[in-house]
Amino acid sequence: MLTLKPTIMESNHLASLLLGFSTKSADRIKKAGISNFVNEQLSANNSLSMPKFIADGPKNLQEIGAIKKEADKSEKASNDVARELNKLSFDWKAFIIQRCNESDNPLREKINLFFQNHFVVTQRTVKVPFWIYKHYEAINTHSLGNYKTLVKEMVYSNAMIKYLDNHQNKKDAINENLGRELLELFTLGDGHYTEADIKNTALALAGLTFGDEKGVYRNATRVTTAKTVFGKTGIFNIDDVIDIIFEQANTPYFLAEKVLKWFFYDTPPKELIEKYGKLLKDNHFELKPFFQALFTEECKQSKGGNQIKNPLIYLLQVHYDLSLAPNYTFMAFLLKNQGMDIYDQPNVKGWKGGHDWMTTQLYTERNQFIDFVIDGNVQFEKTLNKRLEKFNVDSVHFEPKLTIENKTNAQEIINELCDRMIFSTNPEMLASLGELLKYDFDPKAENANQAILRVYQYLAKSPEFQIV
Amino acid sequence: MERRSFLRLTATTAGGFLLLPNFLRAQNLFTSGEDTTDNVLIFIQLNGGNDGLNTFIPYDNPLYYDLRPTIGIAKDKIINPTNGMGFHPALKDFGTMAQEGNLSVIQNVGYPNPNRSHFRSQEIWQTASDSQQFVNTGWLGRFMDIMCKNQEVASLNIDGMDNLALKAISTTSITVKDFNKIKNYQASDNELKLSDNPQLDFMRKLQYSSVEGMVQINKALQNAQNFNEPYADNALAENLKWMSKLIKGGLDSKIYYTSFSGFDTHNNQIQTHQKQLKILNDALFSFYSDMKQNKLLNKVTVVVFSEFGRRVKENGTGTDHGTAGPMFIIGGNNTGQVLGKNPDLSNLDNGDLIYENDFRSVYAALLRDKFNFNPQLINILTPEIKGLF
């Protein structure tokens, strides 16, 4: 019999998952140490250049207006524009997923995606690919700068103005949508403001509408009288209001909680929210030192098991583990089905994470995907093909290749896979593994790799693998 | 009760797809009356290499006692001694089933160039490959790919992990670890605490309900809720009891599978083997009595096998890995005979029995008789063993 003892995930693999999308960085973390790795990631220049499909499309207001006019001509023209936009939206999703998968700075992409989910805009509503790009660009530029600056950038983003209807917020017809979310979802959280604060914030936002690069105030529609927010009165524009919001007590804690949720805990412990909220406050909302300390310290003490894995991490981890050739459009499609539609969240609150990532149906589909990759299930392939018909995904071909470093015997193989995949094993699981790969398994046998893949398959379908 | 659609039989052969005529209606068994095409196979895989010689014992052969002075079973304790062979004392109900004509034993089952590795030999049994050949689908999986194309639950495996024998290309084999847990998870909603980790508990609950085909399974269990025949109190009996419920409840699976570990008796064999065989005996007899009482025994065929037998000569208080061993067939209108010669203990290959019946000849007979299925379609070319059904 095999003597397998319960283990927890190897710490560098765990850190790689927590700070990225797969266990790809485990070796780098091991060599550099967690603190240096985080520092490297946060100091790197996370370059971004405009993809061709954005560059080729309309950018300034005139060009964008022309497309709209074209669409208004007939139903057919409107459908054509919609179809093109749908295609472009998948190109964009694929572009983001590719960055997450291929970047040398996965932590930066994970931070970017965090802020994208914090300052939600969706392609579905915005409908201008260039604005979506600018939204992402602003996040990529400011995600390690000052949080206050980032909030201002987001409020001035054309995409955000469109998504939360601020182009319709005019002095004679106030629309509170952006004002409300600025307080409720971007900075303070429910219960930390009054309805009057929202009204006055909305007044300060009136007249802020689309510009070529970013939002601009139009004099004709702005409100130039005095506003009162959080007890302060003045002829404020939105920058002044944001400055006041950042004087409020809960602002740093609100962000700290969301960061802890995205990276580490479905239910962050109160004392950690306190600790890192205070840290952000003490650093005057500078994000880099806040992230540096938070990531380093939490990775050092984490044993895993606190978070349901989001579909992106799940998918990229499996791709990395099995050296699958990525088809990013296909991945975008899978993620959409798994409830993580990139840059198309279901609503302004963004993906909630935790239990929301999992239902019976979603778990079944994760398992079907694993079976499909490893066994090539014909039924699943048919279903997939049918659902993929209208998307331009090219061909999808999986040839799983699992690399095992120490292939001496069954025990080493099982241990290595558990170390890489499972936050915590248990006797029941180990008993099954021992049956699956018996002690007298011959790693040199002709079909040994198939048998090892079956171990991977078992582990990847386990409840434990769905958790990081 | 819902009637399932006709099954279309298609087969992949070297030449491509071959369409066979529809002939099988997957009706639920319990209402199917005398329709003999609604057969079900149940496999019990004894993990670890069951010692065949101490299970079905050649008590009349003095060599048996010479080679096994410590662990040999005394002649006067043998159950149902007939024609030189009889059962281990723990298998008293095997005697009953044999006397009632519902148990066949196939002696010396194995294959050429035997492999004594648990892992590899199981793989050979599960894929029905030659000893030197490597196949990545299960023999039952290949069968189901042809026979059960449109079935939602083609086979059901009660175990902690999937079984290679059931691995198919297009059909769904369901593996369920513990039916009690399914029941509990449903009943207790979100209250059940399984570990200290709430995330893990949440996922484990989902794991049970995310099993494909769970709807069909639940429906069958619902249908069968009024059947409560008594079963022995052990885990294997529990698994067979669930299978019985599903069969009675009309689940349209053709294949049920479970495994039972603990037969790798390198030492302390007398006690261990006694314990294992008693569990096997009690579980099987519970199931047998249930099937008999509900007039299902002719439709349900139970197959008991292990990846290999054990070395003829004992080693200390146990035995080492061997080769051929007996297979047991219960129910399914079998002939109730002992097939094959008694083990030849004087003509051994490196101390091990030389196989007489290829396991694939048993597989072939099962497929042919129970499903009117040509075993060659799944590359089982060994002729069927004669006289089993």
Side-chain angles (χ1 to χ4, degrees), chain B residues 182-226:
Chain B
I182 291 178
K183 233 174 63 190
N184 290 341
Y185 286 159
Q186 284 169 346
S188 59
D189 204 15
N190 289 320
E191 299 302 314
L192 198 70
K193 190 170 183 292
L194 302 156
S195 71
D196 294 331
N197 185 323
Q199 258 62 24
L200 187 55
D201 282 1
F202 173 74
M203 282 312 309
R204 285 184 176 164
K205 274 177 236 167
L206 284 185
Q207 182 188 31
Y208 281 94
S209 47
S210 73
V211 173
E212 280 177 83
M214 204 41 91
V215 176
Q216 285 77 17
I217 288 174
N218 278 324
K219 207 157 116 192
L221 292 179
Q222 198 97 39
N223 291 341
Q225 59 185 338
N226 293 327

Side-chain angles (χ1 to χ4, degrees), chain B residues 9-302:
Chain B
L9 303 182
T10 57
T12 315
T13 62
F17 279 94
L18 168 70
L19 211 60
L20 296 178
N22 293 326
F23 80 98
L24 238 192
R25 187 196 308 230
Q27 264 175 341
N28 90 56
L29 270 177
F30 198 58
T31 57
S32 63
E34 294 308 304
D35 188 348
T36 49
T37 54
D38 285 338
N39 286 312
V40 166
L41 291 183
I42 295 186
F43 291 87
I44 299 176
Q45 174 184 309
L46 307 179
N47 286 336
N50 177 41
D51 184 13
L53 285 175
N54 267 23
T55 305
F56 195 53
I57 302 163
Y59 62 87
D60 251 1
N61 190 335
L63 274 175
Y64 170 73
Y65 295 101
D66 289 350
L67 292 165
R68 298 188 159 199
T70 316
I71 63 156
I73 306 290
K75 192 171 176 175
D76 60 346
K77 294 207 175 112
I78 304 282
I79 303 288
N80 210 26
T82 316
N83 192 22
M85 299 297 294
F87 297 105
H88 185 283
L91 298 174
K92 65 177 171 42
D93 297 313
F94 273 51
T96 312
M97 295 187 285
Q99 279 164 13
E100 292 180 358
N102 290 317
L103 167 69
S104 285
V105 184
I106 307 146
Q107 305 217 66
N108 311 306
V109 185
Y111 52 89
N113 305 311
N115 192 308
R116 290 166 184 82
S117 144
H118 296 295
F119 180 84
R120 179 59 192 148
S121 195
Q122 267 188 15
E123 202 170 66
I124 290 165
W125 275 80
Q126 290 166 342
T127 59
S129 71
D130 290 339
S131 181
Q132 315 295 342
Q133 181 194 17
F134 294 93
V135 176
N136 288 321
T137 50
W139 72 281
L140 290 166
R142 299 197 297 277
F143 159 73
M144 292 186 292
D145 273 341
I146 297 172
M147 273 293 278
C148 311
K149 270 237 146 73
N150 299 319
Q151 241 162 307
E152 290 179 83
V153 183
S155 68
L156 186 99
N157 173 33
I158 306 187
D159 207 338
M161 70 271 168
D162 295 343
N163 193 297
L164 180 58
L166 301 168
K167 189 164 162 181
I169 295 172
S170 62
T171 38
T172 314
S173 167
I174 292 188
T175 299
V176 175
K177 197 195 257 168
D178 185 344
F179 275 95
N180 280 317
K181 281 192 183 158
I182 291 178
K183 233 174 63 190
N184 290 341
Y185 286 159
Q186 284 169 346
S188 59
D189 204 15
N190 289 320
E191 299 302 314
L192 198 70
K193 190 170 183 292
L194 302 156
S195 71
D196 294 331
N197 185 323
Q199 258 62 24
L200 187 55
D201 282 1
F202 173 74
M203 282 312 309
R204 285 184 176 164
K205 274 177 236 167
L206 284 185
Q207 182 188 31
Y208 281 94
S209 47
S210 73
V211 173
E212 280 177 83
M214 204 41 91
V215 176
Q216 285 77 17
I217 288 174
N218 278 324
K219 207 157 116 192
L221 292 179
Q222 198 97 39
N223 291 341
Q225 59 185 338
N226 293 327
F227 292 94
N228 283 304
E229 280 72 15
Y231 270 71
D233 182 18
N234 65 55
L236 181 63
E238 187 75 10
N239 291 351
L240 292 173
K241 185 168 140 187
W242 286 112
M243 290 179 189
S244 153
K245 277 182 187 287
L246 292 167
I247 291 168
K248 291 173 193 162
L251 186 74
D252 65 354
S253 290
K254 301 249 160 287
I255 312 289
Y256 293 80
Y257 209 108
T258 192
S259 66
F260 176 31
S261 296
F263 288 88
D264 199 10
T265 47
H266 286 282
N267 45 51
N268 199 21
Q269 173 165 327
I270 291 183
Q271 289 80 358
T272 312
H273 204 223
Q274 159 79 27
K275 194 179 109 228
Q276 293 292 103
L277 291 182
K278 177 155 182 6
I279 292 172
L280 181 67
N281 175 80
D282 295 357
L284 271 174
F285 193 62
S286 301
F287 183 76
Y288 170 84
S289 308
D290 177 7
M291 291 298 110
K292 226 178 125 184
Q293 191 186 329
N294 286 294
K295 304 202 169 19
L296 286 165
L297 191 61
N298 286 346
K299 299 190 182 308
V300 175
T301 310
V302 183

Side-chain angles (χ1 to χ4, degrees), chain A residues 24 38 52 70 77 114 118 136 187 209 224 247 280 377 458:
Chain A
K24 182 156 75 175
V38 171
K52 189 169 181 302
E70 176 67 28
F114 163 74
H118 185 65
Y136 178 76
T187 54
T209 185
T224 48
E247 292 163 7
L280 183 59
N377 188 306
Y458 169 82

Side-chain angles (χ1 to χ4, degrees), chain A residues 48-182:
Chain A
L48 170 70
S49 49
M50 196 185 296
K52 189 169 181 302
F53 63 88
I54 300 283
D56 289 350
K59 288 181 282 297
N60 61 40
L61 292 179
Q62 207 180 347
E63 290 163 355
I64 292 160
I67 298 266
K68 195 172 177 306
K69 266 192 201 117
E70 176 67 28
D72 289 344
K73 274 183 190 160
S74 68
E75 203 181 317
K76 186 189 170 297
S78 166
N79 287 341
D80 287 349
V81 169
R83 200 172 306 118
E84 177 63 12
L85 272 177
N86 190 44
K87 191 195 157 297
L88 285 172
S89 88
F90 267 81
D91 288 347
W92 176 254
K93 292 173 206 289
F95 173 78
I96 295 290
I97 301 166
Q98 181 170 14
R99 285 179 67 87
C100 295
N101 193 40
E102 295 178 8
S103 173
D104 285 336
N105 316 314
L107 177 55
R108 297 293 289 281
E109 291 305 324
K110 201 165 183 177
I111 292 172
N112 284 352
L113 205 55
F114 163 74
F115 279 125
Q116 195 277 316
N117 192 49
H118 185 65
F119 300 106
V120 170
V121 298
T122 68
Q123 303 192 86
R124 202 171 46 237
T125 303
V126 174
K127 293 194 173 93
V128 180
F130 178 67
W131 291 356
I132 294 289
Y133 173 77
K134 293 300 281 184
H135 177 265
Y136 178 76
E137 184 191 56
I139 289 175
N140 190 54
T141 308
H142 296 281
S143 61
L144 297 180
N146 194 288
Y147 180 40
K148 199 198 297 192
T149 314
L150 178 59
V151 171
K152 288 178 183 172
E153 286 291 329
M154 290 291 102
V155 167
Y156 275 91
S157 138
N158 280 327
M160 186 62 79
I161 290 169
K162 176 75 187 290
Y163 183 61
L164 293 176
D165 308 313
N166 207 62
H167 55 299
Q168 290 163 6
N169 184 14
K170 298 167 183 174
K171 71 175 172 194
D172 300 325
I174 294 298
N175 185 312
E176 290 177 359
N177 210 2
L178 178 56
R180 181 178 299 278
E181 304 309 1
L182 171 60

Side-chain angles (χ1 to χ4, degrees), chain A residues 414-433:
Chain A
I414 291 170
N415 284 341
E416 185 175 324
L417 283 174
C418 288
D419 273 357
R420 276 155 54 170
M421 296 173 70
I422 303 296
F423 79 90
S424 168
T425 59
N426 56 65
E428 213 177 339
M429 178 181 238
L430 295 171
S432 292
L433 288 168

